[in-house]
Amino acid sequence: MARAIRIHNHGGPEVLSLDDVDPGTPAAGQALIRQMAAGLNFIDVYYRTGLYPIPAMPAVIGNEGVGVVEAVGSGVSEVSIGDRVAYCMSLGGYAEERIVDAALLVRVPDGISDNQAAAMMLKGCTVQYLLRRIYPVKKGDTILFHAAAGGVGLIACQWAKHLGATVIGAVGSDEKAELVQAYGCDHPIVYTRESVVQRVKELTDGLGVPVVFDSVGRDTFMDSLDCLQPRGLMVSYGNSSGAVEPVDLRVLATRGSLFLTRPTLASYISTRAELEATTTELFDVVRSGAVKVEVNRVFPLEATAQAHRDLEARKTTGSTVLTMEG
Ligand SMILES: NC(=O)c1ccc[n+]([C@@H]2O[C@H](COP(=O)([O-])OP(=O)(O)OC[C@H]3O[C@@H](n4cnc5c(N)ncnc54)[C@H](OP(=O)(O)O)[C@@H]3O)[C@@H](O)[C@H]2O)c1
């Protein structure tokens, strides 16, 4: 048996239950891994609350982790027993041991710690597809990134800066503004006391930005559209403040023929080739030092409920991981 954090019902952090669970035996195409750490992500909150559906209860939640392969089922070619591997977008991460589809596992190169690997797969792959594929950021671009001090945000600030962009980042406090400036954000906007739309217009000579990356959702959606220049791209990729209300498409027309996308990571790493290309690029920018994965909080697995409380209360910055020691 292995310790795992399961939910038996949807609800607040109190539904996160430390249970002993049988991880099972890997079937064809699967691997059993003993995990060192699991990543904490806002998507875990959506599964906990029921915003995103869960196939069956009780369920181990968590979508990101690092571990060592202990056993493989038949037909597994991607990894071997003893490999240090990481994955994302596979429910079941908050566990000491778990089974994962081998096609989702990648070997973690030297120079990346267990905690970094656990923290960077979901967030880093997300930043890769946002900045390199949805809107290929290039030198001279000015971009707006919401929740810039968060797990995804802090990686994005550095990567966008590395690509030559001027980064405008929205954050909730002066402390977070100071933090993001140290990680490549040229112009932090403290949205609790400044108007994001007004500041973006000032910083872009009234034109607006060509792209906004908005993971906050309901609270910021309309303001984000107002920050765009004509034919700009709105990337609405999260719901930290709640899901965006249904949109009348005319709001895109009246602001100058805007584009809108609502992407998910799963559709950008849906083939083995895409996953490998994405993670290779991610590992390269991290190993080169261009992007630092800052694991600012570490909780033991049994304190997962507190980790959720802190994430939802906006008390975390950078990445948070859950460790299996204990
Ligand atoms: N679509 C995808 O493929 C994809 C993949 C990964 C992540 N995401 C999304 O990206 C976002 C960031 O994920 P993360 O794990 O890195 O989390 P995070 O950014 O570390 O934490 C969320 C941050 O959002 C801000 N926020 C604004 N309004 C909030 C509210 N009402 N409640 C809580 N936080 C609020 C807070 O920063 P301030 O204090 O600065 O406001 C908070 O620290 C999430 O929305 C997540 O769902 C989407």
Side-chain angles (χ1 to χ4, degrees), residues 40-43 46 52 122-123 126 129 147-153 170-173 176 191 215-216 219 237-241 262-266 311-312 314-316 318:
L40 180 77
N41 290 283
F42 222 93
I43 192 174
Y46 308 147
Y52 288 0
L122 198 154
K123 300 165 199 75
T126 297
Y129 88 75
V152 172
V171 294
S173 68
K176 289 185 180 182
Y191 67 81
S215 62
V216 176
D219 287 357
Y237 72 100
N239 330 277
S240 305
S241 67
R262 196 343 181 157
T264 67
L265 173 58
L311 180 65
E312 289 178 271
R314 313 176 195 200
K315 287 184 184 163
T316 60

Side-chain angles (χ1 to χ4, degrees), residues 123-318:
K123 300 165 199 75
C125 289
T126 297
V127 174
Q128 196 280 343
Y129 88 75
L130 293 175
L131 302 185
R132 299 278 295 139
R133 289 191 277 160
I134 286 198
Y135 180 96
V137 171
K138 56 191 185 309
K139 196 170 164 43
D141 283 337
T142 299
I143 69 167
L144 171 61
F145 213 99
H146 284 276
V152 172
L154 215 54
I155 293 173
C157 287
Q158 299 172 79
W159 204 330
K161 190 71 189 168
H162 174 62
L163 293 168
T166 298
V167 182
I168 305 175
V171 294
S173 68
D174 287 293
E175 293 73 31
K176 289 185 180 182
E178 207 172 301
L179 175 78
V180 296
Q181 269 187 307
Y183 287 88
C185 178
D186 302 277
H187 305 289
I189 302 175
V190 182
Y191 67 81
T192 44
R193 61 173 172 75
E194 299 176 287
S195 156
V196 174
V197 178
Q198 198 180 322
R199 284 290 292 136
V200 166
K201 289 288 161 73
E202 283 166 11
L203 290 165
T204 57
D205 295 328
L207 181 63
V209 288
V211 62
V212 177
F213 298 97
D214 185 340
S215 62
V216 176
R218 184 166 53 205
D219 287 357
T220 49
F221 184 82
M222 292 308 293
D223 278 354
S224 290
L225 296 184
D226 286 334
C227 290
L228 284 165
Q229 56 186 234
R231 295 184 310 208
L233 173 62
M234 168 68 170
V235 185
S236 175
Y237 72 100
N239 330 277
S240 305
S241 67
V244 175
E245 302 294 339
V247 179
D248 177 344
L249 288 181
R250 285 173 295 185
V251 300
L252 305 178
T254 53
R255 286 164 180 75
S257 306
L258 301 180
F259 292 83
L260 167 64
T261 183
R262 196 343 181 157
T264 67
L265 173 58
S267 16
Y268 281 84
I269 51 169
S270 62
T271 64
R272 182 74 194 169
E274 278 185 332
L275 174 67
E276 285 181 0
T278 304
T279 52
T280 298
E281 210 177 282
L282 171 63
F283 292 147
D284 284 351
V285 289
V286 171
R287 282 177 3 129
S288 74
V291 171
K292 293 185 176 54
V293 178
E294 298 294 8
V295 180
N296 289 340
R297 302 284 296 279
V298 177
F299 291 84
L301 183 67
E302 58 270 25
T304 301
Q306 190 55 46
H308 273 229
R309 280 187 199 100
D310 288 357
L311 180 65
E312 289 178 271
R314 313 176 195 200
K315 287 184 184 163
T316 60
T317 57

Side-chain angles (χ1 to χ4, degrees), residues 39-63:
L40 180 77
N41 290 283
F42 222 93
I43 192 174
D44 306 342
V45 173
Y46 308 147
Y47 280 111
R48 195 201 71 215
T49 60
L51 181 65
Y52 288 0
I54 288 211
M57 293 280 195
V60 180
I61 62 167
N63 271 284

